[in-house]
Amino acid sequence: MRKFFLLALALVSLTPAFAQQPAPTTYHPTARQTNKLVHTKLDVRFDYAKRYLYGREWVTLKPHGYTTDTLRLDAKGMDIKTVALMQGDKLQPLKYDYNQRQLLIRLGRNVPAGEAYTVYLEYTAKPDELGAKGSAAIRDAKGLYFINPDSAVAGKPVQIWTQGETDANSVWFPTIDQPNQKTTQEISMTVPAKYVTLSNGALVSQKPAGPGLRTDTWKMDEPHAPYLFMMAVGDFHITKDTWRGKEVSYYLEPQYAAQARQIFGKTPRMLEFFSQRLGVDYPFNKYSQVVCREFVAGAMENTTASLFGEQAQGSARELLDWRYAGVEREIAHELFHHWFGDYVTAESWGQLTMNESFANYSEILWAEHEYGPDAAAQQADISLRTYFRNPANFLKPLVRFQYADKEDMFDAVTYQKGGNILHMLQAYLGEEVFFRGLQRYLKQQAFGTGEPHQLRLALEEASSKDLNWFFDQWYYRAGHPMVTMTYQWDAARKRQAVVVRQTQAGAPFVLPLMVDIYSKGRAQRYPATLRHAVDTLYFPAATKPDLVNVDAEKVLVWQKEDQKPLAEFAYQYRHAPRYLDRREALRAAQTNAADPVAHKILVAGLADKSAALREMAVEVMDLKIPALRKAAAPLLAKLAASDSSVQVQAAAINALATLRDKRYATLFSRALGSKSYKVQGAALQALLTLDPKQALTRATAFEADNKGALTVAMVTVYGQAGGPAQWPSMLAKYDAAEPTGQFEMLPGLGDMLGRLDNPAGLAQGIGRIKDLTVKYKPYIDASRIVGLLRQIQQRQSTRPNGAQVAALVEQAVGEIEAAK
């Protein structure tokens, strides 16, 4: 699953990261299996007006290990109508106790271990009355969602969809809502006949069910965990592909159907690649992907039917601005879960790494296959820097049975750190052995559950290497190495020394790595292993090396201070082969901005083969330095006009805008004609620095067609150069934006509110800023937004509504400060 917390982490980029104290924790063992699910049959219909589900269920189970006379089912916030034991075709009523969370059923007899029995239930699920609370990972936990059920919002589709992870599916059907349960399923949904349905497995029948109604029955023959059950109902357009004779389908709103293959069309190739790489063919009968409105997380790997939030659909123009790290990465992530998560499921939430770390790793794997090693390294680096961003992550091991809430497991340790640990393990074992071990793990645990020790044993069998040390330090220990590296060449002994100090608290890590020694344009590779707080490595070197490149494969999960001179980083940029070699050099150049050697590195970066590094070079160079500005400006103009990456074009335009040079007015004006919203947005803001009046005129011309960065730019222009006439448009754009877009619009909103003489508008705007800050306070630097509110108050102090604004700001600040 791509969780909502990834959006939150994106918002953190607005602020410095802050450490958090770990919450009180409790030991959470793997759930005991008194009864094991065998088969779940559901017959459901929906009340759109009440937002209810009326359900009938036949659940078959077997006592596990011991005889039992009771059954405990999770069933949250339901009205229970009937509970009975199936005796052939007859119902034997059963006694039960229900506390609105769990249903304790007395079976009326002792049922021996291994003997199947079936319980029948009738119930009403009332998700909107449950009062369920979400988390940083998943915004809501009511399991079943009615979107615009009364058609009250014009232009918004009517949909129903479900979200089960971690234990929210028991809001809409009674079950044992634990990841170590597996059950086959059959779901019959009675819905308005005009709508399309989707669920797990195959659509086995469609039958009329009365005036304007239809019953669709979906059947799943392979066992899977209850949290992976799903339903979706709505006006979806289905685009169909195939893979090895199996249906591969994409469900989108009709207006986005033309882009279905552009968005999801690589899925068959992903299925083939992952099947071949893992040595285990995709294990289910079909694969569907559906995009739904207001989804409470990023995406979810429901077995055979992954569900994506609306970020996964867009117009043809919007798709021009998409990056791999957006939707394509999500598609790979959710598909890979069908091996790691659905086919073999983490035994407990404390071992979520067996699901999510693998899915995160697949983002790197697919990037390399589709786009090459630079793209893979870029994705791994983005992921690892997300983990490093918050020091609170350093306090938590990858596997942990002690946590305050299971949703706490959905964090940058489980995802980003865990994915990079697998990437590092692949490099240590070698690709062939690593994937042979994964194949062994998957086949041994097929349609069951898995834990890290089973993975370790499979990899040890494949490699004949002991891996206890690796799993002990990377899976069961918190933190990571923090190192400093210094160098000394001994001319008398003709050897190069490298001193590596591990400075983190606790025992040193064992770190196998490769070291490349460069002399006269050639590299000699040496294996080495760090084991101590201070290790000194020696390598033969007849002359002083041009470069010593420690961790030459650039796979270690560590933070390092590499104390080599800038000249060696320049050599590293030119000669070392990897993406991270060049990125490290660009970062060193940024740190030494005044050095002419740094200027050469940064200018070279403008022509890097990686678009990500060209963009980085643009963004980190300081154009206030005359020599650098003189060398870089012509190259930036070329990038702004014609780079193959719209992200690089936009970054170059942003950089040129800081020069406030009218020579670039024509370039900016031409860029306003780009098909990319991102390039248009950059150009519009750049034009604002030169000619605010013209920028306002051009902005208003985009009212009929604007999205993303262009919309943010329009709000910025209206805020600085517009007037009261633009306020309704600004507010509408803000309200329609996703949270990240809303944060980007705040400066423009603040500029307008500082001079708006409209009491109602001032209340609207300040209220919007306050509500956004309160909602996302745990993930942002709220003090910066309080500062924005104070600026509005100060600018309004001499205007007619100064007293009203002061009161509004004081109230808003009070609510922000009181928010948790």
Side-chain angles (χ1 to χ4, degrees):
M1 186 178 202
R2 296 305 303 178
K3 304 297 185 187
F4 175 69
F5 85 90
L6 296 178
L7 167 63
L9 289 172
L11 300 182
V12 172
S13 65
L14 299 170
T15 75
F18 56 93
Q20 300 173 343
Q21 293 301 315
T25 60
T26 303
Y27 177 73
H28 296 272
T30 298
R32 181 185 173 189
Q33 296 175 314
T34 303
N35 289 279
K36 293 190 71 170
L37 294 170
V38 176
H39 182 68
T40 303
K41 180 179 178 180
L42 298 168
D43 183 0
V44 304
R45 56 192 176 91
F46 306 97
D47 187 326
Y48 282 77
K50 293 182 178 178
R51 304 188 184 201
Y52 285 178
L53 175 150
Y54 303 111
R56 298 191 299 157
E57 177 176 7
W58 297 259
V59 56
T60 301
L61 310 99
K62 292 180 180 180
H64 181 65
Y66 302 92
T67 296
T68 188
D69 61 357
T70 59
L71 167 64
R72 190 182 300 272
L73 296 176
D74 299 296
K76 300 184 180 73
M78 299 179 181
D79 289 341
I80 303 296
K81 308 295 186 181
T82 302
V83 179
L85 186 69
M86 296 297 301
Q87 301 277 35
D89 293 335
K90 296 182 179 180
L91 300 178
Q92 176 188 326
L94 297 175
K95 295 180 179 180
Y96 64 89
D97 294 313
Y98 182 49
N99 63 4
Q100 291 296 305
R101 301 292 296 177
Q102 289 190 322
L103 185 64
L104 179 62
I105 302 169
R106 292 169 179 81
L107 299 174
R109 67 181 180 91
N110 289 323
V111 183
E115 180 181 310
Y117 64 95
T118 300
V119 171
Y120 171 77
L121 304 104
E122 290 184 24
Y123 61 94
T124 300
K126 303 184 290 185
D128 282 47
E129 298 176 19
L130 180 63
K133 293 184 178 180
S135 67
I138 310 168
R139 294 198 304 270
D140 207 317
K142 62 185 181 182
L144 175 67
Y145 297 81
F146 291 82
I147 306 303
N148 200 25
D150 51 7
S151 301
V153 181
K156 185 176 183 178
V158 176
Q159 296 177 348
I160 295 173
W161 47 262
T162 62
Q163 164 51 35
E165 195 171 30
T166 50
D167 61 355
N169 272 345
S170 50
V171 174
W172 61 274
F173 70 97
T175 188
I176 304 175
D177 213 348
Q178 295 290 342
N180 64 339
Q181 291 282 346
K182 293 282 181 102
T183 171
T184 54
Q185 78 176 63
E186 181 179 323
I187 301 180
S188 296
M189 289 180 271
T190 299
V191 301
K194 62 183 177 180
Y195 291 139
V196 167
T197 70
L198 177 64
S199 187
N200 315 92
L203 179 62
V204 296
S205 72
Q206 291 186 298
K207 298 178 181 178
L213 297 174
R214 187 187 72 248
T215 299
D216 290 358
T217 300
W218 292 82
K219 191 174 182 182
M220 178 81 183
D221 292 329
E222 298 84 9
H224 65 148
Y227 77 86
L228 296 167
F229 280 42
M230 74 84 68
M231 299 184 296
V233 182
D235 181 17
F236 300 109
H237 182 279
I238 307 172
T239 301
K240 293 186 177 181
D241 275 336
T242 60
W243 173 77
R244 296 191 190 177
K246 296 182 178 183
E247 180 183 314
V248 178
S249 51
Y250 323 125
Y251 290 61
L252 288 87
E253 294 172 38
Q255 67 266 35
Y256 298 109
Q259 285 76 249
R261 283 196 170 87
Q262 191 177 352
I263 297 168
F264 291 107
K266 291 182 180 180
T267 304
R269 289 200 293 112
M270 287 184 183
L271 282 160
E272 185 65 26
F273 172 64
F274 289 150
S275 293
Q276 290 190 11
R277 204 73 191 87
L278 292 169
V280 176
D281 290 345
Y282 175 76
F284 304 105
N285 65 342
K286 71 104 163 53
Y287 188 54
S288 301
Q289 293 164 107
V290 59
V291 182
C292 294
R293 291 289 186 101
E294 298 183 17
F295 189 49
V296 294
M300 179 64 204
E301 67 274 10
N302 308 298
T303 314
T304 77
S306 291
L307 195 156
F308 293 78
E310 57 199 274
Q311 78 282 352
Q313 59 189 6
S315 67
R317 286 193 63 193
E318 286 179 284
L319 266 59
L320 295 175
D321 293 338
W322 284 13
R323 299 175 185 259
Y324 171 76
V327 176
E328 186 174 344
R329 170 196 54 80
E330 282 187 328
I331 293 169
H333 181 110
E334 306 308 334
L335 176 55
F336 208 68
H337 266 309
H338 280 71
W339 286 267
F340 295 91
D342 299 4
Y343 184 54
V344 181
T345 307
E347 185 181 83
S348 68
W349 296 119
Q351 300 173 100
L352 185 61
T353 179
M354 303 309 295
N355 294 4
E356 296 298 350
S357 298
F358 276 98
N360 184 275
Y361 164 72
S362 76
E363 302 166 8
I364 304 168
L365 196 61
W366 177 252
E368 182 170 32
H369 175 75
E370 188 70 1
Y371 301 106
D374 275 7
Q378 178 191 356
Q379 185 56 40
D381 180 58
I382 290 171
S383 195
L384 195 55
R385 283 187 284 118
T386 299
Y387 160 73
F388 288 141
R389 189 175 292 134
N390 188 348
N393 294 327
F394 308 166
L395 305 176
K396 297 179 286 189
L398 187 56
V399 179
R400 51 192 188 273
F401 296 97
Q402 291 185 311
Y403 47 80
D405 188 284
K406 56 188 173 299
E407 305 251 338
D408 298 342
M409 294 298 301
F410 295 86
D411 61 11
V413 179
T414 297
Y415 283 72
Q416 283 80 6
K417 183 185 181 185
N420 273 273
I421 286 171
L422 289 168
H423 185 48
M424 180 171 57
L425 184 55
Q426 175 197 318
Y428 173 68
L429 294 176
E431 287 191 16
E432 181 180 349
V433 169
F434 178 74
F435 285 105
R436 191 162 65 238
L438 296 191
Q439 179 190 48
R440 183 178 182 86
Y441 166 80
L442 289 169
K443 289 185 174 181
Q444 286 178 335
Q445 311 304 129
F447 296 111
T449 61
E451 59 176 294
H453 284 305
Q454 291 164 326
L455 173 65
R456 174 182 59 80
L457 291 170
L459 291 168
E460 286 182 341
E461 177 63 28
S463 66
S464 73
K465 291 184 177 182
D466 171 68
L467 293 173
N468 276 292
W469 66 271
F470 185 94
F471 279 75
D472 283 348
Q473 73 179 19
W474 290 113
Y475 278 75
Y476 298 98
R477 174 181 170 184
H480 56 272
M482 298 181 181
V483 304
T484 60
M485 293 183 284
T486 56
Y487 307 87
Q488 185 174 3
W489 178 61
D490 187 333
R493 298 186 180 184
K494 298 187 183 304
R495 69 179 186 182
Q496 174 69 46
V498 181
V499 181
V500 184
R501 291 176 172 83
Q502 296 193 39
T503 61
Q504 74 280 355
F509 282 72
V510 177
L511 300 170
L513 49 76
M514 295 292 174
V515 180
D516 283 354
I517 307 294
Y518 285 79
S519 293
K520 299 179 180 179
R522 302 182 66 179
Q524 178 69 47
R525 176 159 293 184
Y526 298 94
T529 300
L530 307 176
R531 300 182 184 277
H532 308 99
V534 180
D535 283 290
T536 302
L537 308 176
Y538 296 100
F539 305 98
T543 59
K544 187 178 186 303
D546 298 309
L547 170 68
V548 178
N549 194 5
V550 179
D551 183 28
E553 293 184 317
K554 294 293 182 286
V555 294
L556 289 185
V557 176
W558 67 358
Q559 288 177 297
K560 64 180 181 180
E561 180 186 346
D562 197 346
Q563 297 178 357
K564 59 192 173 198
L566 187 60
E568 290 190 23
F569 277 111
Y571 188 94
Q572 179 173 310
Y573 183 88
R574 296 192 306 272
H575 295 279
R578 297 184 181 274
Y579 169 93
L580 285 176
D581 291 315
R582 307 195 308 277
R583 191 181 193 282
E584 286 177 4
L586 290 172
R587 185 61 68 197
Q590 180 192 18
T591 304
N592 297 274
D595 193 318
V597 174
H599 303 167
K600 292 181 180 180
I601 297 173
L602 292 170
V603 169
L606 297 178
D608 198 281
K609 63 180 180 178
S610 164
L613 294 185
R614 294 198 300 277
E615 183 180 5
M616 177 182 176
V618 172
E619 291 176 343
V620 303
M621 63 174 51
D622 184 356
L623 295 179
K624 295 186 181 72
I625 300 172
L628 182 56
R629 182 172 64 248
K630 181 178 180 181
L635 300 174
L636 290 170
K638 290 181 180 179
L639 294 177
S642 59
D643 194 87
S644 59
S645 163
V646 295
Q647 283 79 23
V648 175
Q649 285 186 45
I653 290 169
N654 289 334
L656 291 173
T658 65
L659 303 180
R660 297 180 179 271
D661 190 330
K662 291 188 179 295
R663 286 182 300 171
Y664 301 116
T666 301
L667 187 156
F668 299 155
S669 181
R670 191 179 301 121
L672 288 171
S674 172
K675 292 182 178 180
S676 161
Y677 291 124
K678 189 172 186 67
V679 172
Q680 285 184 309
L684 186 60
Q685 296 206 56
L687 190 61
L688 179 65
T689 66
L690 299 180
D691 190 338
K693 185 176 180 180
Q694 185 185 1
L696 179 61
T697 300
R698 299 299 297 267
T700 56
F702 290 127
E703 279 292 347
D705 181 11
N706 61 89
K707 295 284 180 68
L710 178 56
T711 307
V712 173
M714 292 171 68
V715 169
T716 301
V717 171
Y718 290 164
Q720 292 188 29
Q726 279 74 47
W727 174 247
S729 174
M730 292 178 71
L731 199 62
K733 287 175 173 54
Y734 176 90
D735 288 343
E738 291 295 307
T740 48
Q742 291 178 331
F743 276 101
E744 291 170 350
M745 292 178 187
L746 290 185
L749 217 63
D751 283 332
M752 176 63 79
L753 291 170
R755 52 194 173 81
L756 188 67
D757 294 327
N758 176 343
L762 288 164
Q764 291 171 326
I766 292 170
R768 298 296 202 284
I769 295 171
K770 179 261 296 180
D771 291 343
L772 183 70
T773 310
V774 167
K775 186 173 183 178
Y776 295 105
K777 185 179 177 182
Y779 318 112
I780 62 172
D781 183 356
S783 65
R784 292 179 62 182
I785 302 180
V786 168
L788 175 66
L789 289 169
R790 294 296 188 196
Q791 289 176 15
I792 295 169
Q793 179 181 356
Q794 193 277 327
R795 292 178 62 190
Q796 283 280 350
S797 61
T798 58
R799 302 180 72 90
N801 299 295
Q804 177 202 3
V805 170
L808 288 169
V809 168
E810 291 302 332
Q811 181 180 352
V813 170
E815 291 186 39
I816 290 170
E817 291 177 344
K820 301 295 185 182

